[in-house]
């Protein structure tokens, strides 16, 4: 028998379910969870899918921090996986204590709609407690004066740049936008520094040489390039596990990439399918 759904999907409900005060707090929590996934999940393909799902939820949780409300069909389309796979991935993140789903209903007809997905704050990152599971969404009365005061406080925080903010910028570890997200999410599981991940991608770009200088056409398309990069990096990881005395990891990776590209350049089936 289905449980009764009492929480109505509305902006007020989503605001009340939010468990983060600042965007950086949520980002730091997600980074911690990604490291945890890499540590506890053995299969690299499952790691990658869980991290991609977590990143997608984070990107759609910025309006009400930590709360997203995309339907699972939309998530499946964005991740290019099946609906059932999304259900399994969601269940895994819930089991790991990283997210929580809250059943919602529409106000106009009181029928069930997409669940709200909450990113659960990490205790090591935030002192703020996670909202307890309840049938009813907590209601917070907001007066115009209190709302105005909150806006003013946010403006003051934005304008004020302290030494601690500067230090946070110096310690930031963001991967450059020109590195494909799918490759970055895989590589970051093994190398925590953004600079290292970027160097691995540079190896891919340098190996994918220009074959037609008049049109600047390269040997492989961006889609083929990404497929090769992921396949080469997985092979690289397996070989590093077998041989831990590699002195130049980028040179070693370059050899794997070049061998793979030489092989696939004459593979008609690969060129047609990707």
């Amino acid at each position: 028998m289905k449980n009764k759904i009492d929480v109505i999907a509305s902006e007020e409900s989503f605001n009340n379910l939010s468990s983060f005060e600042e965007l950086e707090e949520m980002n730091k929590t997600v980074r911690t969870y990604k490291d945890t996934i890499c540590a506890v999940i053995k299969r690299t393909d499952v790691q990658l899918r869980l991290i991609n799902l977590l990143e997608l939820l984070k990107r759609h949780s910025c309006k009400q921090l930590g709360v997203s409300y995309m339907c699972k069909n939309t998530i499946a389309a964005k991740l290019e996986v099946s609906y059932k796979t999304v259900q399994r991935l969601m269940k895994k993140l819930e089991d790991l204590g990283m997210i929580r789903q809250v059943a919602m209903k529409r106000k106009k007809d009181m029928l069930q709609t997409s669940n709200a997905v909450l990113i659960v704050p990490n205790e090591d990152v935030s002192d703020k407690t996670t909202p307890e599971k309840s049938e009813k969404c907590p209601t917070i009365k907001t007066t115009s004066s209190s709302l105005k005061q909150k806006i003013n406080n946010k403006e003051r925080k934005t304008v004020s740049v302290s030494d601690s903010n500067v230090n946070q910028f110096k310690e930031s570890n963001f991967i450059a936008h020109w590195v494909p997200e799918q490759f970055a999410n895989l590589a970051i599981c093994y190398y925590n520094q953004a600079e290292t991940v970027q160097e691995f991608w540079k190896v891919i770009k340098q190996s994918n040489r220009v074959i037609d200088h008049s049109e600047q056409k390269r040997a492989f398309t961006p889609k083929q390039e990404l497929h090769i990069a992921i396949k080469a990096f997985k092979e690289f990881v397996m070989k590093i596990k077998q041989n831990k005395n590699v002195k130049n990891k980028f040179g070693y990776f370059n050899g794997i990439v070049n061998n793979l590209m030489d092989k696939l350049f004459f593979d008609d089936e690969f060129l047609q399918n990707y």
Side-chain angles (χ1 to χ4, degrees):
M1 183 177 179
K2 290 186 177 180
N3 295 328
K4 182 181 178 182
I5 302 173
D6 291 323
V7 185
I8 297 175
S10 66
E11 188 170 352
E12 182 183 10
S13 298
F14 297 137
N15 285 332
N16 292 337
L17 287 170
S18 176
S19 51
F20 294 97
E21 292 181 350
E22 296 183 359
L23 180 61
E24 179 55 29
E25 183 185 350
M26 180 180 70
N27 290 339
K28 192 172 181 181
T29 292
V30 171
R31 288 197 294 271
T32 302
Y33 285 161
K34 287 163 67 175
D35 291 339
T36 302
I37 289 171
C38 292
V40 301
I41 304 298
K42 302 302 180 185
R43 287 179 51 181
T44 55
D45 59 331
V46 179
Q47 283 180 7
L48 185 59
R49 286 181 173 179
L50 287 172
I51 289 173
N52 285 341
L53 173 56
L54 198 57
E55 278 289 330
L56 182 64
L57 293 174
K58 183 194 74 172
R59 291 199 303 271
H60 288 78
S61 300
C62 295
K63 186 175 182 181
Q64 288 86 21
L65 290 178
V67 183
S68 60
Y69 31 90
M70 282 188 297
C71 69
K72 288 185 175 64
N73 283 325
T74 301
I75 294 174
K78 287 181 178 292
L79 295 180
E80 298 181 350
V81 297
S82 68
Y83 180 88
K84 289 289 185 182
T85 298
V86 172
Q87 284 185 313
R88 289 194 295 270
L89 294 175
M90 286 280 197
K91 179 66 167 56
K92 188 63 179 177
L93 289 180
E94 280 190 301
D95 293 341
L96 292 171
M98 297 176 181
I99 66 168
R100 182 163 68 84
Q101 298 187 72
V102 177
M104 311 290 284
K105 63 182 178 181
R106 293 187 293 265
K107 185 177 181 179
K108 61 181 180 180
D109 55 14
M110 293 300 168
L111 295 177
Q112 185 173 4
T113 185
S114 303
N115 292 344
V117 182
L118 316 182
I119 298 175
V120 178
N122 185 286
E123 293 179 358
D124 297 331
V125 175
S126 173
D127 295 331
K128 192 169 181 181
T129 57
T130 307
E132 297 179 357
K133 279 189 177 181
S134 62
E135 294 298 325
K136 293 186 178 181
C137 184
T139 303
I140 300 175
K141 292 184 178 180
T142 306
T143 62
S144 58
S145 59
S146 64
L147 183 60
K148 188 174 182 180
Q149 185 178 359
K150 286 183 180 179
I151 293 173
N152 290 336
N153 288 338
K154 286 185 178 180
E155 287 177 350
R156 283 197 291 271
K157 284 182 181 178
T158 304
V159 174
S160 174
V161 180
S162 62
D163 292 338
S164 61
N165 293 133
V166 175
N167 291 333
Q168 286 179 353
F169 292 147
K170 290 181 179 178
E171 294 171 1
S172 62
N173 190 38
F174 298 112
I175 297 174
H177 66 88
W178 39 265
V179 180
E181 183 178 358
Q182 195 174 354
F183 179 81
N185 288 338
L186 173 62
I188 203 71
C189 292
Y190 302 94
Y191 294 95
N192 293 327
Q193 292 299 316
E195 292 81 359
T196 305
V197 176
Q198 289 161 195
E199 285 299 319
F200 276 118
W201 184 250
K202 286 180 182 178
V203 171
I204 299 294
K205 297 301 292 183
Q206 291 167 1
S207 298
N208 188 13
R209 295 181 175 84
V210 177
I211 57 175
D212 185 348
H213 289 277
S214 62
E215 298 181 1
Q216 290 299 304
K217 182 181 178 182
R218 293 183 178 272
F220 298 97
T221 65
K223 186 177 180 180
Q224 293 167 346
E225 185 180 71
L226 177 58
H227 179 82
I228 292 171
I230 292 173
K231 187 173 182 178
F233 193 84
K234 288 180 179 178
E235 183 179 341
F236 168 76
V237 170
M238 297 306 298
K239 288 188 176 180
I240 289 293
K241 286 182 178 180
Q242 298 168 3
N243 179 14
K244 298 181 180 179
N245 297 321
V246 175
K247 294 181 180 179
N248 183 351
K249 55 180 176 288
F250 300 115
Y252 197 73
F253 182 62
N254 183 66
I256 294 174
V257 173
N258 283 332
N259 288 336
L260 192 56
M261 284 188 173
D262 288 344
K263 177 183 176 181
L264 294 177
F265 185 72
F266 298 100
D267 189 332
D268 293 334
E269 183 179 354
F270 169 77
L271 296 176
Q272 291 174 3
N273 292 334
Y274 292 95

